[in-house]
């Protein structure tokens, strides 16, 4: 795929990077990312992935914009309150770059519909806030052989990891958390609080890692870092990473699948 001449200036700062280049930018324009959750993580992730020129999005969120969201969910304004997040996100995207396309789904994703919602995606980025949803998305990604980038945040801690459980040697998200969290039992930011800038850090870092995955095999930036979980500490700023081993008995990607 080539870059249309009228779009070259828009992505000029990417194209001059040897780690991206024209080939990488053209590849991004041909990519499809399914963004699950359009809240504090999904908002900045969408902004930076759209800014990077990812050509197609599936935007999935069943919620409506609320006043309390505006502290951290950066694509929404006061005028969006009461409107569906997925619709408002598509409106933001159209205003930002009408050369990109988006499919909108205001459904709550679960094990019954996850496969349909991630269909044809090159990457799924999950920024949802409960384990039941995350595990349903992970299982669907393994079954569809689609890589998953999972991002989460609580108070001043965040985590971002890339998973390719459909590959024999790599872990899925279920290998990381196990089977004990198939219920909606997560703490929420409404109960515990969350710093808006911390969520922005996690979302923008998730976008950076998503670009790595999308450019795998295309440019020098494309190291997907499968199974590496990055832990982010905001209160005493630090980051550390560790590798997640594949669980041979995992019911998502192992012998029990």
């Amino acid at each position: 795929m080539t870059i249309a001449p009228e779009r070259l200036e828009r992505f000029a700062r990417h194209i001059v990077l040897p780690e991206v280049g024209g080939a990488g930018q053209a590849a991004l324009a041909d990519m499809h990312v399914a963004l699950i959750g359009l809240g504090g993580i999904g908002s900045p992730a969408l902004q930076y992935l759209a800014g990077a020129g990812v050509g197609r999005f599936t935007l999935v969120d069943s919620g409506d914009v609320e006043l309390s969201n505006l502290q951290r969910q950066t694509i929404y304004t006061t005028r969006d309150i009461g409107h569906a997040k997925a619709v408002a996100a598509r409106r933001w995207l159209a205003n930002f770059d009408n050369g990109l396309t988006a499919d909108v789904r205001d459904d709550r994703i679960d094990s019954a519909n996850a496969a349909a919602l991630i269909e044809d995606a090159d990457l799924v980025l999950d920024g949802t806030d409960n384990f039941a949803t995350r595990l349903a998305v992970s299982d669907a990604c393994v079954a569809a052989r689609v890589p998953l980038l999972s991002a989460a945040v609580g108070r001043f801690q965040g985590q971002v990891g890339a998973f390719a459980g459909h590959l024999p040697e790599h872990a899925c998200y279920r290998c990381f958390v196990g089977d004990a969290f198939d219920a909606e039992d997560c703490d929420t930011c409404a109960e515990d609080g969350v710093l808006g800038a911390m969520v922005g850090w996690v979302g923008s870092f998730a976008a950076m890692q998503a670009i790595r995955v999308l450019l795998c095999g295309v440019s020098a930036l494309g190291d997907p870092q499968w199974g590496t979980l990055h832990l982010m500490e905001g209160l005493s700023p630090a980051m550390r990473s560790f590798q997640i081993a594949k669980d041979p008995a995992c019911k998502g990607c192992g012998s029990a699948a």
Side-chain angles (χ1 to χ4, degrees), residues 211-236:
I211 293 170
R212 290 185 190 276
V213 172
L214 294 172
L215 293 182
C216 180
V218 178
S219 76
L221 188 64
D223 174 11
Q225 300 181 334
W226 300 132
T228 300
L229 191 76
H230 302 280
L231 299 178
M232 309 159 73
E233 172 59 54
L235 201 56
S236 300

Side-chain angles (χ1 to χ4, degrees), residues 37-62:
L38 298 166
I41 293 172
S43 291
L46 176 61
Q47 288 177 304
Y48 279 105
L49 290 175
V54 171
R56 179 185 169 197
F57 294 91
T58 296
L59 305 175
V60 182
D61 198 302
S62 63

Side-chain angles (χ1 to χ4, degrees), residues 16-241:
V16 299
L17 287 170
E19 294 82 1
V20 178
Q25 192 60 54
L28 290 173
D30 202 33
M31 294 294 179
H32 172 199
V33 173
L35 196 54
I36 313 299
L38 298 166
I41 293 172
S43 291
L46 176 61
Q47 288 177 304
Y48 279 105
L49 290 175
V54 171
R56 179 185 169 197
F57 294 91
T58 296
L59 305 175
V60 182
D61 198 302
S62 63
D64 295 337
V65 180
E66 301 175 359
L67 179 61
S68 62
N69 299 153
L70 304 185
Q71 166 248 13
R72 65 199 177 281
Q73 299 182 18
T74 51
I75 57 176
Y76 308 120
T77 69
T78 304
R79 294 178 62 183
D80 294 315
I81 294 173
H83 294 271
K85 287 185 179 180
V87 175
R90 181 172 59 182
R91 183 165 54 244
W92 176 89
L93 189 66
N95 289 332
F96 177 74
D97 184 353
N98 61 12
L100 309 179
T101 62
D103 302 314
V104 168
R105 297 296 297 267
D106 59 356
D107 304 313
R108 184 173 180 82
I109 193 166
D110 55 29
S111 57
N113 64 7
L117 294 178
I118 68 170
E119 187 176 12
D120 298 328
D122 297 293
L123 173 68
V124 172
L125 197 164
D126 182 0
T128 57
D129 60 1
N130 70 85
F131 285 113
T133 301
R134 294 173 196 163
L135 288 168
V137 171
S138 176
D139 292 346
C141 285
V142 173
R145 303 187 62 80
V146 176
L148 168 66
L149 192 73
S150 179
V153 65
R155 292 176 58 83
F156 296 95
Q157 292 81 39
Q159 62 184 40
V160 177
F163 298 92
H166 58 284
L167 300 177
E169 68 274 25
H170 292 299
C172 72
Y173 179 78
R174 190 179 285 276
C175 292
F176 169 44
V177 301
D179 300 330
F181 297 106
D182 278 301
E184 298 181 14
D185 58 355
C186 275
D187 296 331
T188 67
C189 60
E191 297 167 341
D192 295 341
V194 67
L195 186 70
M198 182 70 210
V199 185
W201 181 21
V202 174
S204 59
F205 186 73
M208 176 73 180
Q209 297 304 95
I211 293 170
R212 290 185 190 276
V213 172
L214 294 172
L215 293 182
C216 180
V218 178
S219 76
L221 188 64
D223 174 11
Q225 300 181 334
W226 300 132
T228 300
L229 191 76
H230 302 280
L231 299 178
M232 309 159 73
E233 172 59 54
L235 201 56
S236 300
M239 181 183 289
R240 60 189 178 92
S241 306

